[in-house]
Amino acid sequence: MVPISLSLSLSCLGWWTSGLILVLCFLKLICLLVRRQSLARAMDSFPGPPTHWFFGHARELQQTGSLDKMLSWAQQFPYAHQLWVGQFLGFLNIYDPDYAKAVYSRGDPKALDVYNFFLQWIGKGLLLLHGPKWFQHRRLLTPGFHHDSLKSHLSVFAACTHAMLDKWEEKARDGKSFDICYDVGHMTLNTLMQCSFGKRDGDLSQRDDHYHRTVATLTLLVQERIDSFQYHNDFIYWLTPHGRRFLRACQVAHNHTAQVIKERKAALQDKEEQEKIKNQKNLDILDILLSVRDEKEIKLPDADIQAEVDTFMFAGHDTTRSGLSWVLYCMALYPEHQHRCRKEVREILGDQKSFQWEDLGKMTYLTMCVKEAFRLYPPVPQVYRQLSQPVSFIDGRSLPAGSLISLNIYALHRNSSVWPNPEVFDPMRFSRDDVSHRHPYAYMPFSAGPRNCIGQKFAMAEIKVALALCLLRFELVPDFSQLPIKFPQLVLNSKNGIHLYLKPLGLSAEKGLCQE
């Protein structure tokens, strides 16, 4: 009798469990349908492209390439249009300066429906925080990007760039083109490690290099998850091979950043290092995080330190890698602008053996070329917000609080109502006269408003130094047999890399610039 009773009990338990799962699934479906109805009602006054009954717009974006398809929709629907990833996640996709100003001049939080996909990787650092804690961390970390700190980094920018260019001289000897993206990323990570995370002179270790490769895996997996609505549910995603691969890659990234923190903590135990820190006017990011105390002399929690290091380690090098790679591609593609930039750099340098900080401000034409490259190839092509309060747009339409906004920076920068002949590379768009007459939210490579990129001045200074030194040593020529295929992977990447021919200019005397 006991086995039969036990069997009946297990059978009942199984039925109850199955019933509970069905009820929970039904309730979840009801919640999704209610939210879908709410989002759809909010965007009712905004037309959009036809949606698939199941995929929304996701399948069309995947089949035709999201950048080109978004651009065609932006030309079809002025200001904005509905964008659905599946049937339950809907955004108002905007690409008009006035619409961008209405949202990004405020401090609305990131859309957690998208940015929560980053949470397992970078934690609640500056990218994902909101409210008083975000403000506290932003204020805390801002001194790490102070003007004086950037000036002190100039020699590091130059030394890391020269290490990359030395490798390129070796690669250029056989006269073949090669993909520049990996080496640029290696250089920007090396620069960041030395400027912001306490690494001393020298190239990256094998562990650092492994981290650099892991970031490429993580960005690809997060982008795939954003685009694949069936992966939006955590429970489902962690059961898939993609989800398990993502968790393994996160562990690699966390091990790397934890080791960086551990090594710096150990170094700060040295009395000589402590004195050095006391006498420094400006600390780097990691030293700020490790030394800060609140009014009760309590240190920043380890989880907060880890999250900020994970955030800056990714965002501080991968966006710069993307930006510099596309800038170099533009220089190769438009030789007349490349030659003019090179001439400007040589004139600024004159008889000097190294660049001075003030020289960066004199690189007016080179700066305009960098900005124009960022217009055509923004490092982060799309960003998302969730409205914390209602918003009214210039054309009288509005959205209630809770609505989701997608800002397509790629389409904004190619909006023909703002940028005449938007596909043409024209650095003069960023001359002082042109900029003074342009809408302040027409150009947003580093976002805008109170949540703009904290490291934009750092990135611009690094890119200007790297580009100037590259132009002094090489002539850049595109490989027309392997033109890049634009591909959003959180940052703007190329599916097949960016292949260039590099022709050494033979200016051996200039190889040691800025390395003192």
Side-chain angles (χ1 to χ4, degrees), residues 191-219:
T191 301
L192 185 73
M193 292 283 290
Q194 293 190 41
C195 293
S196 299
F197 295 109
K199 180 178 179 292
R200 295 304 169 236
D201 297 345
D203 202 1
L204 297 181
S205 67
Q206 187 174 2
R207 189 188 75 236
D208 299 324
D209 190 65
H210 192 196
Y211 170 81
H212 173 43
R213 295 177 185 275
T214 300
V215 167
T217 301
L218 286 166
T219 56

Side-chain angles (χ1 to χ4, degrees), residues 94 100-101 103-110 115 127 134 138 319 374 378-385 405-410 412-413 439-457:
I94 65 175
K101 180 181 179 181
V103 176
Y104 282 78
S105 60
R106 316 185 326 180
D108 294 275
K110 301 293 179 70
Y115 288 97
L127 181 66
W134 172 84
R138 175 83 179 206
T319 53
F374 279 8
V380 181
Q382 194 159 6
V383 290
Y384 308 87
R385 291 284 189 273
I405 300 288
S406 161
L407 171 62
N408 194 289
I409 297 174
Y410 184 84
L412 173 71
H413 286 181
H439 196 294
Y441 284 79
Y443 180 69
M444 296 174 59
F446 297 103
S447 191
R451 293 197 67 132
N452 66 348
C453 175
I454 192 174
Q456 58 183 290
K457 291 182 180 179

Side-chain angles (χ1 to χ4, degrees), residues 28 35 39 88-91 104 107-120 122-131 134 222 225-226 231-234 238 383-388 402-406 451:
K28 179 67 174 177
R35 186 166 189 252
L39 290 171
F88 300 117
L89 186 59
F91 299 88
Y104 282 78
D108 294 275
K110 301 293 179 70
L112 295 184
D113 293 82
V114 172
Y115 288 97
N116 268 348
F117 301 155
F118 292 77
L119 194 57
Q120 195 76 23
I122 62 174
K124 291 189 176 181
L126 204 59
L127 181 66
L128 300 186
L129 286 173
H130 181 60
W134 172 84
V222 173
R225 189 177 183 190
I226 293 171
Y231 288 158
H232 287 184
N233 180 273
D234 282 345
W238 303 136
V383 290
Y384 308 87
R385 291 284 189 273
Q386 181 165 9
L387 299 183
S388 56
S403 301
L404 302 177
I405 300 288
S406 161
R451 293 197 67 132

Side-chain angles (χ1 to χ4, degrees), residues 126 141 145 192 197 308-317 454:
L126 204 59
L141 294 168
F145 299 96
L192 185 73
F197 295 109
E308 293 299 359
V309 173
D310 279 316
T311 297
F312 278 91
M313 192 74 76
F314 156 59
H317 98 274
I454 192 174

Side-chain angles (χ1 to χ4, degrees), residues 114-226:
V114 172
Y115 288 97
N116 268 348
F117 301 155
F118 292 77
L119 194 57
Q120 195 76 23
W121 172 14
I122 62 174
K124 291 189 176 181
L126 204 59
L127 181 66
L128 300 186
L129 286 173
H130 181 60
K133 193 169 182 178
W134 172 84
F135 184 78
Q136 176 200 18
H137 281 220
R138 175 83 179 206
R139 186 175 58 183
L140 170 70
L141 294 168
T142 296
F145 299 96
H146 188 272
H147 179 263
D148 290 337
S149 293
L150 297 181
K151 287 175 67 174
S152 68
H153 296 331
L154 187 63
S155 60
V156 178
F157 294 161
C160 293
T161 299
H162 276 295
M164 177 183 72
L165 298 181
D166 289 342
K167 294 177 187 176
W168 284 1
E169 281 206 353
E170 293 291 326
K171 292 183 178 182
R173 284 178 181 171
D174 62 5
K176 296 179 181 178
S177 70
F178 58 89
D179 180 11
I180 65 169
C181 294
Y182 174 79
D183 290 333
V184 172
H186 188 98
M187 183 273 289
T188 58
L189 179 58
N190 194 14
T191 301
L192 185 73
M193 292 283 290
Q194 293 190 41
C195 293
S196 299
F197 295 109
K199 180 178 179 292
R200 295 304 169 236
D201 297 345
D203 202 1
L204 297 181
S205 67
Q206 187 174 2
R207 189 188 75 236
D208 299 324
D209 190 65
H210 192 196
Y211 170 81
H212 173 43
R213 295 177 185 275
T214 300
V215 167
T217 301
L218 286 166
T219 56
L220 178 63
L221 290 171
V222 173
Q223 187 67 54
E224 286 179 346
R225 189 177 183 190
I226 293 171

